[in-house]
Amino acid sequence: PTNGDATIDFSGAQAEGQVQLFDAMGKLVLRSSFGPSTAVELHTQDLPAGLYYVHIAPAGHKVSVQKLLVRH
């Protein structure tokens, strides 16, 4: 759960890719790109509280989906 920002660390990643945040209805609410060995900050302060799905898509790899609970 988060009540502010969430950080996704790609310090061991060898590829570029994209992180997308979807609300419970499937609407894309945030999108960010990442490079090798970087971190992505998801700013959730302006989002309504609730359950979100984080899609992590490194180039050339399978998409990983994680849940993120936003609380205020």
Side-chain angles (χ1 to χ4, degrees), residues 7-70:
T7 302
I8 303 172
D9 184 11
F10 295 102
S11 60
Q14 300 297 319
E16 298 176 342
Q18 201 171 78
V19 175
Q20 298 173 320
L21 186 65
F22 294 88
D23 67 13
M25 300 301 291
K27 179 182 174 190
L28 178 65
V29 294
L30 287 174
R31 177 184 297 161
S32 183
S33 296
F34 64 88
S37 300
T38 60
V40 172
E41 194 80 25
L42 299 177
H43 303 286
T44 61
Q45 303 93 325
D46 296 331
L47 298 176
L51 182 63
Y52 292 84
Y53 296 92
V54 182
H55 290 214
I56 303 169
H61 297 303
K62 192 167 104 172
V63 174
S64 172
V65 179
Q66 302 292 320
K67 295 176 185 174
L68 176 66
L69 183 61
V70 174

